[in-house]
Amino acid sequence: MIYGIPTYDLPLMAAVAFLSYLIGSIPFGLVLTALSGNGDIRKIGSGNIGATNVLRTGRKGLAAGTLALDGTKGAFAVFCAFVLCPFHTLAAESLAAVFAVAGHCFPVWLKFRGGKGVATGLGCILALMPGVGLCCCALWLIFAKVTRISSAGAIIAFAALPLLMIRPGRIDFSSPAYVAGGLIAMMILIRHHANIMRLLKGTEPRIGQKSA
């Protein structure tokens, strides 16, 4: 028994994980740029399928749409877990959040070469822990605006995520939500390893600037 989940419910949890992965793996940035006639986003700028790279096409509306849809799919995966698992809700939602971000970062349709999971991760955290999610969004927006570097805001926001989840006077490391938040933060920070190196060198492109 894991987190109070009996063995006979594990297939349902596996189904939640699989569904969440499929939802997360929908490459909205790639789809929207292709439908708008801007070609393959993977051949533009950094080659990433996320909103920041979509912005490099010069289409702000397209980038905003990508951001919104990527965030929504994360929240939707958590909502599906809520509906499908009424008896193990927090564990199911936490599992869905992790696999939705994994789906975005490593989509099977794109040979496991996806985005960096920021918008999807924020959508998941907002659905799973609204207060913490709002704090992460605020950090991301503030640091992205101050530095004009989107990756800097994302790195700060998700590096702070495990600390933001700590309740006053108590650190519940065993909570499925805490475990999920830690895994999501780790996944997104690992996906930003190249950005971190460029930030240290001072060569990270600013918002709207073309990648070298």
Side-chain angles (χ1 to χ4, degrees):
M1 186 177 289
I2 304 173
Y3 288 123
I5 303 169
T7 305
Y8 57 78
D9 273 344
L10 292 181
L12 177 59
M13 299 298 283
V16 166
F18 182 65
L19 176 63
S20 300
Y21 174 83
L22 292 180
I23 293 170
S25 68
I26 302 172
F28 283 115
L30 181 64
V31 173
L32 290 180
T33 50
L35 291 177
S36 66
N38 282 269
D40 189 338
I41 189 62
R42 294 170 296 178
K43 297 179 180 179
I44 298 171
S46 65
N48 193 267
I49 63 171
T52 300
N53 198 43
V54 173
L55 185 61
R56 294 189 177 105
T57 65
R59 302 283 297 276
K60 292 182 179 180
L62 212 59
T66 301
L67 181 67
L69 288 170
D70 280 347
T72 299
K73 72 183 181 184
F76 181 66
V78 174
F79 173 75
C80 288
F82 171 79
V83 173
L84 292 172
C85 298
F87 302 111
H88 315 292
T89 306
L90 183 58
E93 289 176 340
S94 300
L95 186 69
V98 171
F99 275 86
V101 175
H104 180 84
C105 294
F106 311 104
V108 63
W109 332 109
L110 304 181
K111 298 180 180 179
F112 303 103
R113 297 175 183 175
K116 296 182 180 177
V118 177
T120 304
L122 288 174
C124 289
I125 299 300
L126 279 167
L128 190 61
M129 298 169 283
V132 173
L134 287 172
C135 289
C136 282
C137 288
L139 284 173
W140 177 45
L141 291 171
I142 290 169
F143 280 91
K145 184 174 180 61
V146 170
T147 62
R148 297 201 71 250
I149 301 175
S150 180
S151 62
I155 290 164
I156 293 293
F158 283 96
L161 176 58
L163 296 176
L164 293 171
M165 290 188 296
I166 296 174
R167 297 181 183 182
R170 185 176 68 158
I171 304 177
D172 191 2
F173 291 121
S174 63
S175 167
Y178 194 95
V179 173
L183 289 173
I184 289 170
M186 188 185 305
M187 215 181 321
I188 291 173
L189 291 175
I190 289 172
R191 292 291 291 162
H192 278 82
H193 69 279
N195 303 83
I196 293 171
M197 295 303 298
R198 287 194 295 269
L199 283 167
L200 293 174
K201 293 178 182 178
T203 58
E204 179 73 341
R206 298 186 183 273
I207 294 173
Q209 178 184 342
K210 292 183 179 181
S211 296

